[in-house]
């Protein structure tokens, strides 16, 4: 189908849900997460790619048709679920300094055990992942799907490094016990 502006109420809601999710994530990144004095080249590159992918997904929701009402509803639900998980993770962590993806210093050596952290160790990465998957699911666009896979791979790599650093830290034994009773990102799967 040719690219066009959303032509149904459901597609406008999908675009609004995607835009709102991306804006909330961006505002939280600027205001909630610990900012290092300077970013490394890799950190800056990831940040720039994240912005580019976010803008691409946001614009795609405005110009690509959904794959149908059921898929648009699925995308809307995914954005809603991603936001609910993200905000509950922020609430559980509101008094704990958190670092950004691929930013490991200043080292935050606290691990959380409340809210969604009781079940999964990286609910914020899971919320980002679900949000990145929402647009390709709703539109069936392969390019958006590839960008989502790339972003999710980055979160998995960063999560593993964060866990390696926590395991090597002063609370490594306690963290190992925590890891034994929780999932990395997806309950019952990973």
């Amino acid at each position: 189908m040719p690219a066009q502006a959303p032509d149904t109420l459901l597609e406008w809601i999908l675009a609004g849900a995607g835009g709102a999710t991306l804006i909330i994530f961006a505002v939280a990144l600027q205001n909630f997460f610990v900012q290092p004095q300077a970013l490394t080249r890799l950190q800056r590159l990831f940040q720039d790619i994240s912005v580019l992918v976010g803008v691409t997904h946001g614009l795609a929701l405005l110009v690509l048709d959904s794959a149908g009402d059921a898929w648009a509803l699925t995308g809307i639900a995914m954005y809603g679920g991603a936001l609910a998980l993200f905000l509950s993770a922020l609430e559980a962590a509101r008094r704990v300094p958190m670092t950004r993806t691929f930013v490991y210093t200043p080292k935050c050596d606290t691990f959380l055990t409340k809210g969604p952290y009781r079940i999964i160790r990286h609910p914020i990465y899971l919320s980002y992942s679900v949000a990145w998957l929402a647009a390709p699911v709703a539109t069936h666009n392969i390019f958006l799907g590839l960008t989502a896979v790339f972003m999710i791979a980055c979160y998995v790599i960063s999560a593993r490094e964060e866990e390696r650093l926590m395991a090597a830290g002063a609370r490594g034994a306690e963290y190992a016990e925590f890891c034994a009773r929780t999932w990395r990102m997806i309950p019952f799967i990973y």
Side-chain angles (χ1 to χ4, degrees):
M1 298 209 109
Q4 61 187 24
D7 56 5
T8 68
L9 178 59
L10 206 51
E11 287 182 348
W12 278 108
I13 293 170
L14 174 65
T21 301
L22 294 171
I23 289 168
I24 290 169
F25 285 173
V27 169
L29 279 172
Q30 293 302 313
N31 296 309
F32 182 77
F33 293 86
V34 174
Q35 304 291 331
Q37 291 290 334
L39 295 174
T40 66
R41 280 189 165 170
L42 176 64
Q43 292 164 342
R44 173 62 68 188
L45 177 64
F46 179 75
Q47 182 175 301
D48 292 346
I49 289 171
S50 297
V51 169
L52 180 62
V53 171
V55 169
T56 300
H57 279 232
L59 290 175
L61 290 171
L62 290 173
V63 300
L64 296 176
D65 289 333
S66 71
D69 288 352
W71 292 107
L73 285 168
T74 301
I76 293 165
M78 290 174 76
Y79 284 124
L83 269 179
L85 180 59
F86 182 76
L87 294 174
S88 68
L90 288 186
E91 176 61 25
R94 69 182 153 138
R95 289 186 175 82
V96 177
M98 306 271 297
T99 57
R100 292 172 157 221
T101 308
F102 294 120
V103 176
Y104 308 117
T105 56
K107 187 171 184 295
C108 298
D109 60 358
T110 301
F111 59 95
L112 300 164
T113 58
K114 295 180 181 179
Y117 294 94
R118 290 181 314 220
I119 301 166
I120 52 177
R121 298 186 294 278
H122 301 281
I124 291 175
Y125 287 160
L126 177 58
S127 68
Y128 292 161
S129 299
V130 171
W132 289 129
L133 287 170
V137 165
T139 63
H140 290 185
N141 183 280
I142 192 75
F143 175 74
L144 296 178
L146 292 173
T147 62
V149 168
F150 171 78
M151 295 300 292
I152 293 166
C154 290
Y155 299 136
V156 169
I157 291 166
S158 188
R160 286 181 176 178
E161 180 62 11
E162 289 172 20
E163 290 185 4
R164 187 189 68 74
L165 292 170
M166 287 296 294
R171 298 177 65 196
E174 185 182 352
Y175 189 68
E177 290 174 15
F178 175 67
C179 289
R181 66 178 188 269
T182 58
W183 299 93
R184 181 173 281 140
M185 287 175 67
I186 305 170
F188 309 106
I189 297 172
Y190 178 72

